[in-house]
Amino acid sequence: MIYLLFIVLSFIIFFICLFNVYRRGISQFFTSMFVLSSLFYFLIHLLLPVLQWDVSFFRYQNDYPIDIYIYSILFSFIVHACFLFGINSFQLEGKQQLLFMKLSPNYLKRVFLVSILVFAIGAYFSTKNIIAILSMGFDAYITDRISMGVGNGLALLLAHWTYISCLLFFFIYLHSNNIKWLRKASFVSFITAFLLAATYYSINSNRNSLFILIISLLAFSMAFNHKYSGHITKSQLKKTITLILVIIGFSFSLHIIGKVRHQGYDSIQQDSQYGMVNSLNGAFGNHENIVWLLSHEYKYEMGNTYTAAIANFIPRALWADKPLGAGPKLKNLIYPGSYVVGRRGNSSLTTGFQTELLMNFGIIGSVVGSLVIAIFLSLYFIFLRKQNSPAIKLIYLFSVVVFSTQFFYAEFLGFFARYIFSIIPFILVYLTTKNIKRVYL
């Protein structure tokens, strides 16, 4: 029954995605919240749960009742359907995104100078954090990452400016065809920023951020290119479908190979280090949160985890009893007393959009909450898209990517703080270039 449900829901999701791609171009894979969020929903709440069930690979308990598991998959699908309806309620996906532009040399030069400043700040803090991790030892860091962040939140957030500078340099490179020195300089700067970001995210075991960086670069490259928008040919559609099927087939092949290699074991333990399931579970294993919550009774947070995201900007030294985020609270639900504020060795759990809705508002509240949040995001994106400034359009494109990806698997507290700090460089670009002449196609 689980496998049949997976096939039916997967068909619906891919039909929706391919229909949008056929109508509006291949760029929709990376620039449309409707499509990109659906792909991440598929990964987190369809593909991975089925793979986990197939090998009985779970983190919180040995197994779950099949009826609860099926219910969890249907619940997630309904929540995502409401999210898609909310996103499309104000026709966010109804028109071309109109991000094509030709920018003046003076404008691009100013953006380049700001990007260098952003990179310098990001490089300083990312290098500082790398040195700190290597000094304490990678094993010690992995077992107690939360302690490193205590009192060091600003440094951790500013380190992500390396990521943003990489996007800015890439944006300049795409638009500086007629300025040879700037095109070369921006390309070298882009490569430098990308390599530093890749090094930093590898050392701090944050591979998801590198994955999202690559998706953002693909979004930037396609959003500013006419040939990736509009109706696609049958040949392009066929190649797109073939590529998707090859990726899925390759993924399942790795999964099957992993199972065959471990046939000699009596059982597959939760801490086993084999195959694709373990790898994906570490990055996107959020659905089990929903299965566990549906299997147990708990007190609804009623919005406290969202309040914690705003309170996160206030130091705990000034507000000792400020609310915890969803990760620590879920950890204490599953393992009571395991997370204690201020204690060394704390570890948390990654929650994600649907998990936090369920924690805060229950089943019915999650459905309503998904719709409300999607409508709010739709209005926010429409506001950004209507602005004439290229910098604001970059905020729009960046926001579509992160709210379609990280938002679905990250704890809202950390996501919100990182998002706010990530758009500051774009705002700096806007403030320093608003009086410079811009030329549009």
Side-chain angles (χ1 to χ4, degrees):
M1 180 63 182
I2 287 179
Y3 302 106
L4 177 61
L5 183 63
F6 168 76
I7 292 172
V8 172
L9 297 184
S10 298
F11 176 81
I12 294 172
I13 290 298
F14 281 110
F15 175 80
I16 290 172
C17 292
L18 291 175
F19 181 72
N20 277 271
V21 169
Y22 177 73
R23 291 175 59 201
R24 303 187 182 105
I26 296 177
S27 65
Q28 296 292 293
F29 276 120
F30 304 103
T31 63
S32 165
M33 190 165 191
F34 206 88
V35 175
L36 189 55
S37 69
S38 293
L39 294 176
F40 264 73
Y41 156 78
F42 168 79
L43 173 62
I44 296 169
H45 296 293
L46 277 181
L47 177 62
L48 191 52
V50 169
L51 294 179
Q52 286 182 278
W53 178 268
D54 189 45
V55 297
S56 298
F57 185 102
F58 303 113
R59 291 180 295 176
Y60 309 146
Q61 56 191 60
N62 292 332
D63 55 33
Y64 295 93
I66 188 171
D67 57 335
I68 295 293
Y69 212 81
I70 292 173
Y71 181 52
S72 72
I73 294 174
L74 286 172
F75 166 78
S76 295
F77 180 79
I78 293 171
V79 171
H80 185 65
C82 290
F83 184 82
L84 293 182
F85 182 81
I87 284 294
N88 205 44
S89 57
F90 292 95
Q91 296 185 340
L92 175 64
E93 306 290 342
K95 298 180 180 179
Q96 293 297 326
Q97 295 175 2
L98 300 178
L99 295 179
F100 315 116
M101 59 187 76
K102 183 176 181 180
L103 302 173
S104 67
N106 288 337
Y107 181 87
L108 291 172
K109 291 174 186 177
R110 182 66 60 86
V111 176
F112 184 67
L113 292 176
V114 175
S115 302
I116 290 176
L117 174 63
V118 172
F119 172 73
I121 295 173
Y124 170 78
F125 284 104
S126 59
T127 303
K128 182 179 178 182
N129 293 338
I130 289 173
I131 294 173
I133 293 171
L134 296 179
S135 298
M136 69 187 298
F138 184 74
D139 291 338
Y141 166 73
I142 287 298
T143 57
D144 193 14
R145 287 191 291 180
I146 292 178
S147 295
M148 181 179 175
V150 176
N152 198 35
L154 183 61
L156 294 176
L157 289 169
L158 289 176
H160 290 299
W161 280 19
T162 307
Y163 172 120
I164 302 301
S165 68
C166 183
L167 295 177
L168 288 172
F169 287 134
F170 188 62
F171 168 75
I172 297 168
Y173 171 76
L174 292 174
H175 292 83
S176 57
N177 291 331
N178 297 325
I179 314 173
K180 291 184 179 180
W181 73 266
L182 184 58
R183 187 170 175 82
K184 292 180 180 178
S186 61
F187 179 75
V188 172
S189 300
F190 159 67
I191 295 298
T192 303
F194 181 83
L195 291 176
L196 179 57
T199 302
Y200 176 61
Y201 291 133
S202 298
I203 290 177
N204 75 355
S205 191
N206 193 355
R207 293 169 296 174
N208 290 19
S209 293
L210 184 59
F211 182 47
I212 303 306
L213 172 57
I214 293 173
I215 292 178
S216 298
L217 291 171
L218 289 169
F220 273 46
S221 65
M222 291 188 176
F224 305 114
N225 195 322
H226 287 282
K227 70 179 181 180
Y228 295 119
S229 295
H231 285 277
I232 64 176
T233 64
K234 291 183 178 180
S235 175
Q236 289 175 320
L237 182 61
K238 183 178 179 180
K239 290 179 181 178
T240 301
I241 295 174
T242 301
L243 177 61
I244 293 173
L245 292 176
V246 168
I247 292 173
I248 294 175
F250 180 71
S251 299
F252 272 102
S253 297
L254 291 177
H255 171 59
I256 293 171
I257 291 171
K259 289 183 66 178
V260 170
R261 289 176 59 189
H262 290 78
Q263 282 181 344
Y265 290 85
D266 294 331
S267 63
I268 299 172
Q269 302 298 324
Q270 288 184 354
D271 61 350
S272 61
Q273 300 296 311
Y274 79 94
M276 182 182 63
V277 177
N278 183 60
S279 179
L280 284 175
N281 184 71
F284 305 109
N286 300 65
H287 188 81
E288 190 181 351
N289 299 337
I290 295 174
V291 183
W292 192 93
L293 290 170
L294 292 175
S295 304
H296 297 79
E297 293 184 1
Y298 59 95
K299 182 180 179 181
Y300 298 161
E301 292 295 332
M302 301 306 294
N304 285 332
T305 68
Y306 300 110
T307 303
I310 300 175
N312 188 42
F313 294 100
I314 304 174
R316 194 166 287 278
L318 300 178
W319 185 2
D321 297 326
K322 71 177 183 178
L324 290 172
K329 290 197 172 186
L330 181 62
K331 184 68 179 288
N332 279 336
L333 278 176
I334 299 174
Y335 310 109
S338 58
Y339 189 100
V340 178
V341 175
R343 186 181 67 185
R344 293 192 65 84
N346 276 329
S347 63
S348 183
L349 295 174
T350 305
T351 50
F353 172 56
Q354 294 203 11
T355 298
E356 293 204 34
L357 281 175
L358 192 56
M359 287 178 65
N360 280 277
F361 308 117
I363 296 172
I364 301 300
S366 297
V367 174
V368 176
S370 178
L371 179 63
V372 171
I373 291 174
I375 290 174
F376 174 79
L377 289 176
S378 180
L379 293 172
Y380 173 56
F381 292 147
I382 287 172
F383 166 77
L384 292 176
R385 195 174 63 186
K386 287 183 177 180
Q387 307 306 307
N388 290 325
S389 170
I392 304 301
K393 291 185 181 294
L394 291 182
I395 294 178
Y396 162 73
L397 188 58
F398 173 77
S399 300
V400 166
V401 172
V402 297
F403 275 99
S404 300
T405 55
Q406 288 177 328
F407 183 59
F408 274 69
Y409 65 78
E411 179 189 32
F412 183 72
L413 182 150
F415 170 84
F416 183 71
R418 182 170 171 177
Y419 175 74
I420 295 299
F421 272 81
S422 294
I423 64 174
I424 289 176
F426 297 116
I427 295 175
L428 289 176
V429 170
Y430 168 75
L431 293 175
T432 56
T433 60
K434 63 180 181 179
N435 294 323
I436 297 179
K437 182 179 179 182
R438 304 185 298 266
V439 180
Y440 291 88
L441 283 177

